[in-house]
């Protein structure tokens, strides 16, 4: 009677599921940690921005209080708004770059790149 080579026993479906879950849970844990780190860095960046803006606002109020004639008073809103818009634009760009970097690192990790 000819004997046919027997294949190695296939892993049970439960073993395959457990292995896939372990890989998935590892990735989920990494993504969770990456998102928490990003949230913490973003919160820190926004807190620093708010602190700096509050300082600039106080300085603007000081300039307003020191204005001695209508011409000085008229120049304040334009310079204040210009500086405020520039600061907000810079901060938005910085936060967008931070988010893009986090997303790119996460995408590479999920694609198996290191």
């Amino acid at each position: 009677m000819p004997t046919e080579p027997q294949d190695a026993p296939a892993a049970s479906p439960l073993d395959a599921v457990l292995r896939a879950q372990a890989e998935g849970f590892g990735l989920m844990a990494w993504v969770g940690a990456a998102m928490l780190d990003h949230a913490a860095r973003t919160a820190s960046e926004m807190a620093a921005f708010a602190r700096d803006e509050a300082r600039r606002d106080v300085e603007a109020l000081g300039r307003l209080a020191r204005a001695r004639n209508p011409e000085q008073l008229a120049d304040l809103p334009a310079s204040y708004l210009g500086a405020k818009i520039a600061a907000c634009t810079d901060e938005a760009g910085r936060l967008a770059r931070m988010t893009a970097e986090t997303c790119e690192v996460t995408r590479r990790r999920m694609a198996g790149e290191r």
Side-chain angles (χ1 to χ4, degrees):
M1 168 169 182
T3 60
E4 297 196 19
Q6 298 239 339
D7 291 333
S12 74
L14 180 60
D15 290 338
V17 168
L18 290 175
R19 201 170 25 260
Q21 282 181 335
E23 291 171 8
F25 285 146
L27 183 59
M28 285 174 31
W30 182 88
V31 169
M35 292 300 114
L36 284 174
D37 176 64
H38 175 64
R41 288 185 302 121
T42 300
S44 176
E45 178 67 32
M46 291 178 75
F49 175 72
R51 181 199 62 224
D52 294 344
E53 283 304 297
R55 184 176 297 131
R56 283 190 279 269
D57 290 347
V58 168
E59 291 169 359
L61 286 173
R63 286 191 301 275
L64 183 63
R66 289 188 302 272
R68 298 292 177 225
N69 59 50
E71 292 80 26
Q72 287 178 327
L73 201 57
D75 290 340
L76 290 175
S79 64
Y80 172 78
L81 287 176
K84 181 65 80 174
I85 290 171
C88 289
T89 301
D90 290 346
E91 183 65 13
R94 187 174 7 271
L95 291 172
R97 285 187 298 278
M98 288 172 61
T99 301
E101 177 184 315
T102 299
C103 290
E104 179 60 21
V105 168
T106 302
R107 184 199 63 77
R108 276 193 254 126
R109 173 69 190 258
M110 291 179 76
E113 301 170 22
R114 298 259 174 163

